[in-house]
Amino acid sequence: MSFPKAFVWGAATASYQIEGAAREDGKGLSVWDVFCQKAGNIWNNQSGDIACDHYHRYKEDVNLMKQVGLHAYRLSVSWPRVIPEGTGAPNPKGLEFYDKLIDELLAADISPYVTLFHWDYPYELYRRGGWLNKDSPDWFAEYATVVVGRLSDRVKHWMTFNEPQVFIDVGHRSGYHPPGDKLEFAQVLTAAHNVLLAHGKAVQAIREHSRVESQVGLALAATVRIPATESPEDVEAARQSMFSIRRKNCWNNTWWTEPVFFGRYPEDGLTLFGNDVPAIGDRDMKTICQPLNFFAVNIYSGGKTQAGKDSQPERVSFPVGQAMTTFQTPVTPEVLYWGPRFFWERYKLPIIITENGMSNVDWVSLDGKVHDPQRIDYLHRYLLELKKVCKHGVKVLGYFHWSIMDNFEWREGYRERFGLIYVDYPTQRRILKDSAYWYKKVIASNGAILDKL
Ligand code: FCB
């Protein structure tokens, strides 16, 4: 028994992390463009100004994706490239870029999965209050309408937002990402509410303007808990922990998933957040809760949980010597079993893993190749868990590796290499890493080779 027959094997990127051409062809500034200009914000004061120069090299990149054998490619659209001021007149050259990219992908038989927003927020809109402005959901719906109007004759799969937890919490509460604000928690929750409304309105816009029947989702940053053992008590403790809110921040699943899938905020969050919860308009929850076609989720790692005193969930600390990626993320393959399983049981929608992967110390060896055995082993372990959960009846539609190529890793600049393809930034030369060749075999066998060591 292997993966389902129509399983989609893909890889992902995001506009600001690869495109470059940050000030070209009429593109407006994003909050990332501005944030990177300030010394000390990014490792070695780097920026996405050039990144992988994908804006100019997209044909070569699509060709490499074809060589890897990808069925699908998850990309994001840069809002300020398409509408430089965030609202108002679209930029024809910006739209043309995505137009050509989509055509190139389709010609290579690769399905585009498009995320409308992967963090590069138009700076002009930030100056107008950003996600705190009550009009912000409509701005996003307007942008969605423009993109869908142009691409939906060829794009079928859409995601509204990437990891709202991250850009809201890290951008607006801790200020570690742009726009770099450290707002009161009540304001953070207002921004979060506007993002949820923006999601709902964008889904409506996609459904209304799409020229083919579209499949729509929202890519969440998963908090996954692994049961310490398979005893019913530990499994229940892990489940409880995954679907509860214990801290006053946005790093949880349910403040996002319950409004989107059930049309209400979770009780424990409402109680804990108390007076910080924003005023909720009569129709808001209806707008937010639009039917979706799949549950998209980015899963990298997660800790173990056991049933403690009175069956309460209790975190189990990582053992000394725990395997870690270069990014210091624990290697915990079981998250690709328990994450899909718990989400499927609760929300009953087919799952798509929209991101998973690791950063590694990759360099070009004397033989001119890039050997990355850790990434192969990581992938192998994680995909075996994904295979197991498919076998246990959980509906998983696809897997997108993060990332197809090394890129600008936000605050860490170019220090972290996440790609299946190595990018030599000074020359922009690309080299398929060993893991890319290995992933190609996984794809060609629909996961059958995972059973061989
Ligand atoms: C995720 C982001 C993605 C990338 C990976 C490593 O949180 O969505 O852009 O940076 O982490």
Side-chain angles (χ1 to χ4, degrees), residues 115-255:
T115 308
L116 289 171
F117 183 77
H118 198 130
W119 307 357
D120 40 0
Y121 191 72
Y123 185 63
E124 282 309 313
L125 293 185
Y126 173 64
R127 284 156 54 102
R128 291 165 64 187
W131 292 113
L132 288 175
N133 190 314
K134 67 172 179 21
D135 295 331
S136 56
D138 292 321
W139 298 339
F140 188 66
E142 178 192 326
Y143 158 62
T145 305
V146 169
V147 177
V148 168
R150 182 67 176 250
L151 303 180
S152 69
D153 53 338
R154 288 153 292 154
V155 174
K156 288 194 196 120
H157 295 88
W158 299 94
M159 279 146 285
T160 53
F161 286 94
N162 179 68
E163 300 190 347
Q165 290 103 324
V166 178
F167 74 85
I168 285 300
D169 199 277
V170 188
H172 300 80
R173 194 181 62 84
S174 64
Y176 192 69
H177 274 190
D181 290 338
K182 293 183 181 166
L183 303 175
E184 296 293 324
F185 196 52
Q187 287 184 299
V188 176
L189 291 183
T190 298
H193 189 66
N194 284 332
V195 166
L196 286 169
L197 281 169
H199 159 79
K201 290 188 175 202
V203 178
Q204 288 172 332
I206 298 170
R207 302 270 188 228
E208 191 184 331
H209 300 286
S210 192
R211 277 177 271 165
V212 293
E213 209 188 303
S214 49
Q215 302 285 306
V216 191
L218 158 73
L220 292 153
T223 299
V224 177
R225 300 279 177 251
I226 303 163
T229 72
E230 296 210 0
S231 75
E233 293 77 17
D234 284 350
V235 171
E236 192 43 42
R239 181 185 287 115
Q240 251 192 53
S241 170
M242 226 172 105
F243 297 111
S244 61
I245 300 182
R246 280 150 207 267
R247 292 206 181 80
K248 271 199 170 192
N249 59 37
C250 302
W251 289 105
N252 61 63
N253 295 316
T254 50
W255 193 255

Side-chain angles (χ1 to χ4, degrees), residues 419-433:
L420 295 167
I421 297 171
Y422 181 90
V423 178
D424 178 49
Y425 297 107
T427 61
Q428 290 294 349
R429 190 170 154 231
R430 277 85 159 125
I431 303 171
L432 267 66
K433 300 180 191 176

